[in-house]
Amino acid sequence: MIETSFAELEQRLGVSRRTFLKFCTGVAASLGLSTQQAMAMAEAVATHKQRPPVIWLHGQECTGPTESLLRSEQPTLDHLILDLISLDYHQTLDAGAGHHVEHIKAEAMKANKGKYLLVIEGSIPTKDGGIYCKVGGQTMLDATTEAAEHAAAIVAIGSCASWGGVPSGGSNPTGAVGAQAVLPDKTVLNIPGCPPNPSNFLATILYFVTYGKLPELDNKNRPKFAFGRLIHENCERRPHFDAGRFALEFGDEGHKKGYCLYKLGCKGPETYNNCPAIEFNNLGGGVWPIGVGHPCFGCSEDGVGFNKPLFSLADVKTHTPPNAFPLIEDRGQKSSGASAGAAALAGVAVGAAVGASAMAAKKVKEQDTGGDSNEA
Ligand code: SF4
Ligand code: F3S
């Protein structure tokens, strides 16, 4: 039976059983689950036992989460998500429009009371009764509270839905807030990011489909498997930070050599996310902000991204490096992407944050107050 299901899965998703199992094992590892649990996930998908209906609402946003999800090059990811769930209402992807789809949404929610997954993308304006975002004559505020009432689980995808994001910046003219703020009596799982990593969404959905509940959350309702560590803890440039080697300007020697971007405003030291470990696009290849030479601006951290000026220095929360980092033997050489990636993964696996680099942090402080060379 399961063999037939896997054969069907191969056809449905266009991937081999081997690739799919490998993929599930990787997702399970990122969730901190065993190989056996990875098999349970694979089986849940292959046998299609549960396919939760999903109501997906869009508020104030740029559609970044949906765009990043659909453009992910990682084989199967977008197909897999769309195969895992029954996407009953999605304002960007619905082929239909107008009152017809609004009717379908109402019917889907009625027929699946207590069973559907509500995904919220974008912030919710609350000022003046929420009139600044309406679909089909209904405010996003009303659509959110209405859909949340009988949802089995609620996921806020992206920074705008998680805590207000871009629309809530500055003077916040529309009173934009995240979903949790308008649903105080519900648990809203937040997957912040601008855009959020589609792999984190997929892992959350896979977990929900397999176990019928949401994964463990931190104190900001983010899944711990993805947001349990600071970017700074697993960053491939961390050895440079610890050794006091910094880029001081875009394009300078330090920047060309792949030195730490702290002095260019990198917010990795105060931002929780797994970007260094899973990266974007193909689960590898160095495609993530710091990997391509840009400081992290804290897009997924409430109170950091869109709040702190880009070039302001981050608050360094951890001064002790993981012991899994490779040494940088040649001070003139950039750390290789491959070894850095391996170190980041090893850092996740080992889960260690030991060692002493208070001196490095001290050097950073010294340089903050006037140092102008690339090396401390
Ligand atoms: Fe990486 Fe930024 Fe930390 Fe430097 S400050 S090690 S670039 S996260
Ligand atoms: Fe965002 Fe920083 Fe990751 S800008 S994508 S949290 S590296």
Side-chain angles (χ1 to χ4, degrees), residues 160-365:
C160 299
S162 298
W163 40 263
V166 179
S168 70
S171 61
N172 193 358
T174 65
V177 295
Q180 186 68 79
V182 301
L183 301 170
D185 301 329
K186 304 273 183 188
T187 298
V188 177
L189 179 145
N190 293 321
I191 304 181
C194 191
N197 198 307
S199 298
N200 291 335
F201 181 67
L202 171 70
T204 303
I205 296 296
L206 259 176
Y207 190 94
F208 182 73
V209 167
T210 310
Y211 298 106
K213 60 178 185 180
L214 295 174
E216 199 184 347
L217 308 180
D218 70 4
N219 61 357
K220 289 186 178 173
N221 279 5
R222 300 172 295 194
K224 275 189 182 169
F225 72 85
F227 297 92
R229 285 178 179 275
L230 287 165
I231 284 172
H232 192 57
E233 288 177 68
N234 289 319
C235 177
E236 62 208 41
R237 298 186 190 224
R238 179 65 187 266
H240 290 298
F241 176 91
D242 293 324
R245 289 192 284 271
F246 303 97
L248 301 176
E249 280 179 23
F250 286 101
D252 73 2
E253 265 315 289
H255 193 232
K256 284 180 194 157
K257 286 177 176 168
Y259 285 3
C260 170
L261 304 169
Y262 174 76
K263 296 204 169 192
L264 293 177
C266 181
K267 305 297 188 295
E270 55 184 335
T271 300
Y272 289 86
N273 209 334
N274 57 359
C275 316
I278 64 170
E279 304 182 336
F280 281 81
N281 297 350
N282 286 317
L283 284 179
V287 181
W288 69 292
I290 293 170
V292 297
H294 195 283
C296 162
F297 77 98
C299 77
S300 61
E301 198 64 36
D302 188 9
V304 180
F306 317 114
N307 288 86
K308 276 194 153 185
L310 283 179
F311 292 101
S312 66
L313 294 181
D315 294 331
V316 180
K317 291 184 196 280
T318 49
H319 291 169
T320 48
N323 63 355
F325 284 144
L327 293 173
I328 296 179
E329 301 294 348
D330 180 354
R331 291 174 69 91
Q333 223 175 30
K334 179 180 168 182
S335 64
S336 89
S339 66
L345 285 173
V348 173
V350 173
V354 291
S357 71
M359 283 309 291
K362 201 165 147 238
K363 280 178 193 168
V364 172
K365 279 229 162 85

Side-chain angles (χ1 to χ4, degrees), residues 24-25 28-29 33-41:
C24 286
T25 310
L33 301 176
S34 64
T35 315
Q36 221 172 7
Q37 287 166 306
M39 286 306 295
M41 280 183 172

